[in-house]
Amino acid sequence: MSDSNVSDSENLRIGIPSKGRLSEIASGLLSQAGLSFRRQSRGLFARVKGMPIELIFLRTDDIPTLCAEGAIDMGITGSDLVQESGMAVNTRMKLGVGNCRLAVCVPIDADLQSAKDLDNKSIATSFPNITSRYLADAGAKSHLVSLSGSVEVMIQLGVADAIVDLVETGSTLAANRLRILDEIDHYETVLIQNHFDRDVETADRVVRRLEGVVIARDYSLLDYNVLRSQLAEAEAITPGFNSPTVNSLEDTQWCSVRVMVRRRDVIDVMERLETLGASAIIETPITNCRL
Ligand code: PRP
């Protein structure tokens, strides 16, 4: 397609999911990153306060195509949908949320053990392109039933012997008495951008703002006091994002350390610091940062 198809709007256009789980995730992230907007009920557009940005509310699976076509400059969607669409867009950042797996699932008691056993079987999926490639790699010739949703009930309906669907918590599988035969790939929510590179400055500001929020969600600040003689050992436990901040204390044998620690590691790190002899170990959550 040509550049003439690019939107004439002066504003940077960001496509976000209009409904569903990703809609809440995207709105929450944008608000936390200071991109405030008010969506009129069922409205398609919303202006971002104080920035030359317009949000367009779209179907999540259309976002990669509309981004590649230039109807929107950036978009928030699933990396599964980007791959399935086959569209040439840049993934500017992973948003650290909405993690899921795309898996081949079969009835709990089915006599199917590997991808090869899918030969001559019917498979229902909303991911026909990814599934076709997977089956070709496995050397299985299967009949694909391409659907836009409710894939998990297709075995009960007699439409398919197996399904390829997203699995997050596994509760949909359990409710439908299905088990995972094989995992095809892992996916998450991403921010994409097209190759027209309109208003690069604003697009980069959006990325920096979202990075601040996404990194902050993963890290806590940890403060503690430790003997100077044990500082090297303590720093080995808490190397920090870049490097720890170390301050002197009135008792010159001691120092205080402030450092970023991955949230999932905080409890373990606190225990190891305590064992080392550190004291006054305090965790503070952070909501935003620029590193
Ligand atoms: C997805 C997917 C499964 C379900 C898996 O559907 O298609 O049905 O989530 O999640 P779980 O492992 O946590 O149960 P989604 O809710 O996104 O809607 P959809 O049916 O429109 O795809």
Side-chain angles (χ1 to χ4, degrees), residues 21 126 148-152 165-173:
R21 275 183 294 189
S126 333
S148 57
S150 303
V151 168
E152 63 275 7
D165 199 9
L166 293 173
V167 180
E168 193 178 357
T169 61
S171 56
T172 303
L173 289 191

Side-chain angles (χ1 to χ4, degrees), residues 2-278:
S2 69
D3 277 9
S4 63
N5 285 22
V6 180
S7 161
D8 285 328
S9 162
E10 291 291 307
N11 293 320
L12 186 86
R13 293 183 150 192
I14 306 177
I16 68 170
S18 56
K19 54 186 176 184
R21 275 183 294 189
L22 272 193
S23 168
E24 284 164 35
I25 288 174
S27 299
L29 275 173
L30 291 173
S31 302
Q32 219 184 323
L35 279 80
S36 315
F37 62 93
R38 190 147 21 103
R39 184 186 178 191
Q40 308 289 345
S41 77
R42 298 194 156 268
L44 185 65
F45 299 89
R47 274 293 309 273
V48 171
K49 205 171 151 199
M51 291 182 86
I53 298 175
E54 205 165 54
L55 300 179
I56 324 283
F57 300 91
L58 299 164
R59 271 184 63 121
T60 316
D61 46 0
D62 287 338
I63 288 176
T65 304
L66 292 172
C67 189
E69 292 288 324
I72 50 176
D73 302 294
M74 306 183 94
I76 293 178
T77 187
S79 57
D80 50 321
L81 299 171
V82 176
Q83 191 180 335
E84 176 63 24
S85 74
M87 292 291 155
V89 291
N90 285 333
T91 295
R92 287 296 307 265
M93 62 179 295
K94 296 174 175 179
L95 296 173
V97 284
N99 292 31
C100 58
R101 301 166 280 169
L102 186 69
V104 183
C105 307
V106 295
I108 286 173
D109 51 8
D111 186 22
L112 297 166
Q113 307 308 332
S114 72
K116 279 203 179 70
D117 298 335
L118 298 171
D119 202 30
N120 286 321
K121 302 280 190 254
S122 289
I123 303 175
T125 186
S126 333
F127 295 86
N129 296 324
I130 297 175
T131 304
S132 297
R133 283 195 293 274
Y134 166 82
L135 291 168
D137 288 349
K141 287 198 176 70
S142 316
H143 171 60
L144 272 194
V145 183
S146 185
L147 299 161
S148 57
S150 303
V151 168
E152 63 275 7
V153 299
M154 293 304 150
I155 297 176
Q156 286 174 51
L157 287 182
V159 174
D161 304 294
I163 61 167
V164 168
D165 199 9
L166 293 173
V167 180
E168 193 178 357
T169 61
S171 56
T172 303
L173 289 191
N176 290 284
R177 296 188 46 76
L178 300 173
R179 66 174 166 87
I180 292 178
L181 179 81
D182 195 13
E183 281 182 14
I184 298 179
D185 215 337
H186 284 69
Y187 299 101
E188 63 182 294
T189 311
V190 290
L191 175 71
I192 57 171
Q193 185 175 10
N194 62 30
H195 297 286
F196 298 112
D197 282 339
R198 245 170 37 91
D199 196 352
V200 173
E201 200 181 311
T202 305
D204 288 350
R205 269 180 84 194
V206 171
V207 172
R208 290 291 292 148
R209 283 178 173 225
L210 285 171
E211 270 173 357
V213 172
V214 169
I215 293 170
R217 284 183 172 200
D218 260 4
Y219 285 84
S220 279
L221 261 189
L222 212 60
D223 289 281
Y224 59 90
N225 296 339
V226 70
L227 278 168
R228 277 211 174 265
S229 58
Q230 287 171 327
L231 181 58
E233 274 180 85
E235 283 182 338
I237 298 170
T238 58
F241 197 88
N242 291 319
S243 76
T245 305
V246 181
N247 284 309
S248 304
L249 291 178
E250 207 152 275
D251 179 342
T252 52
Q253 288 193 321
W254 287 77
C255 57
S256 78
V257 180
R258 166 165 279 199
V259 67
M260 285 172 77
V261 175
R262 274 197 187 275
R263 278 191 196 181
R264 62 167 186 255
D265 298 333
V266 164
I267 307 284
D268 179 53
V269 163
M270 285 176 109
E271 274 177 7
R272 290 169 66 198
L273 289 172
E274 197 174 24
T275 306
L276 186 69

